[in-house]
Amino acid sequence: MGGHAVDGQRLVRITLALMLYGWAAAAGVFVLGRAHAVWAAVPFITVTFTGLGFALALVLLHRATWTALLSLAGTAAMVAGAANGSITPLICGAAVWSALAAVAGRRGHHRRRRGIKAPWWDNLV
């Protein structure tokens, strides 16, 4: 098999960074929701941009287009948390993002280890 060399430690660091990004985004939205009680649009804008950033990171770093689309569920949970000021949906959203980052990292690792090119549907985004 003509596989490519994989830097497993780099992929683990990227995956862990994406997981921490999700938890930091949830904490940031919670703090912004409490701090900006006058202008309620701040948490929604923050969730929108962090959700798009997370999805883009999954696509660029792990070539995980379908996983990035599934990350919209975590974004929706965070929007619900920003709407009512509750921490539970924010934690659920961060947990969904963490699981998706782990799946994408594992999938990207196996693809790179085997030297498999991305399927045609991963190039749609």
Side-chain angles (χ1 to χ4, degrees), residues 13 29 33 35 46 51 53 60 66 72 77 86 90 94 99-100 104 108 116 120 123 125:
R13 285 192 305 266
V29 168
T46 305
L60 292 177
W66 291 108
L72 295 177
S86 175
L90 295 173
L100 291 176
I116 299 171
W120 64 270
N123 296 325
V125 174

Side-chain angles (χ1 to χ4, degrees), residues 47-90:
V47 166
T48 302
F49 284 118
T50 56
L52 291 175
F54 182 80
L56 184 65
L58 283 176
V59 171
L60 292 177
L61 297 174
H62 294 304
R63 291 182 278 169
T65 305
W66 291 108
T67 309
L69 290 175
L70 291 175
S71 72
L72 295 177
T75 304
M78 287 196 182
V79 167
N84 61 10
S86 175
I87 190 73
T88 306
L90 295 173

Side-chain angles (χ1 to χ4, degrees), residues 24-50 81-83 85 87 90:
V29 168
F30 180 72
V31 168
L32 283 174
R34 297 293 181 180
H36 288 281
V38 176
W39 194 45
V42 171
F44 294 111
I45 293 169
T46 305
V47 166
T48 302
F49 284 118
T50 56
I87 190 73
L90 295 173

